[in-house]
Amino acid sequence: MISLPASRTALVLIDLQKGITGLPLAPTPGTAIVERSKELAARFRAAGAPVILVNVAFAPDFADAVHAAVDRSFSPPGGFAPDWAELVDGLAEPTDLRVTKRQWGAFYGTDLDLQLRRRGISTIVLGGIATNLGVESTARAAHEHGYNVVLATDVMSTFTEEMQRFACEEIFPRLGRVTTSDAIALDA
């Protein structure tokens, strides 16, 4: 069990949006990740801890997207539907903070760090999709910014079981504490 002070801890959920949660994911389908995330978010809200919902979105002409040369770019199967960037139904509550990013990580180019620091947050609990892309990029930046990072592996998934295993077993233990959502306790 990991006990965290509610007043100094935030839950940050990455890319639980309509265009991503429906992709083929492993080891856990997006629908299960969303349900577990809703349960964890409800616990954070009940304890008075901030919930931050991050989505990725782009301008219609993609002028604000990263345009670096890569060997394998990402484009969702079937392209970007009009509601692709919208958070999944039933996830957000009026008290939640929202952050829109335009790359994998949630820190660069957003006000996430400012929002956390102004609220006195020193620890973030991370979950979302995809484990080894948006979640891992955000975890690396959080670690570099000096935050304590807790990674709830049962509220994240990616594209293959091997990608999930490598991130959770090899990368995450070097960035923070790796656990499951039911092993996180929030203290008043």
Side-chain angles (χ1 to χ4, degrees), residues 17-140:
Q17 59 194 68
K18 294 178 180 178
I20 293 178
T21 57
L23 295 172
L25 300 170
T28 309
T31 53
I33 297 301
V34 169
E35 289 311 309
R36 291 177 191 161
S37 296
K38 287 179 182 179
E39 292 168 9
L40 185 57
R43 287 182 29 220
F44 269 69
R45 292 180 194 113
V51 173
I52 302 172
L53 304 174
V54 179
N55 73 317
V56 62
F58 306 102
D61 64 358
F62 289 94
D64 56 352
V66 175
H67 296 288
V70 296
D71 287 335
R72 186 182 302 166
S73 64
F74 174 77
S75 182
F80 292 90
D83 64 350
W84 187 85
E86 292 177 18
L87 293 172
V88 294
D89 295 333
L91 178 63
E93 293 290 333
T95 57
D96 296 343
L97 299 169
R98 295 187 187 198
V99 172
T100 297
K101 62 187 178 78
R102 287 166 174 72
Q103 60 280 322
W104 288 350
F107 279 91
Y108 180 78
T110 73
D111 69 344
L112 178 58
D113 185 51
L114 176 71
Q115 294 292 346
L116 293 168
R117 291 194 190 282
R118 289 201 175 160
R119 286 168 174 75
I121 301 300
S122 59
T123 301
I124 64 169
V125 175
L126 275 172
I129 301 169
T131 303
N132 60 315
L133 299 173
V135 176
E136 185 176 319
S137 294
T138 302
R140 287 175 184 263

Side-chain angles (χ1 to χ4, degrees), residues 125-160:
V125 175
L126 275 172
I129 301 169
T131 303
N132 60 315
L133 299 173
V135 176
E136 185 176 319
S137 294
T138 302
R140 287 175 184 263
H143 177 75
E144 291 167 357
H145 280 77
Y147 292 99
N148 297 309
V149 180
V150 177
L151 298 125
T153 59
D154 62 325
V155 292
M156 60 180 76
S157 195
T158 190
F159 303 108
T160 70

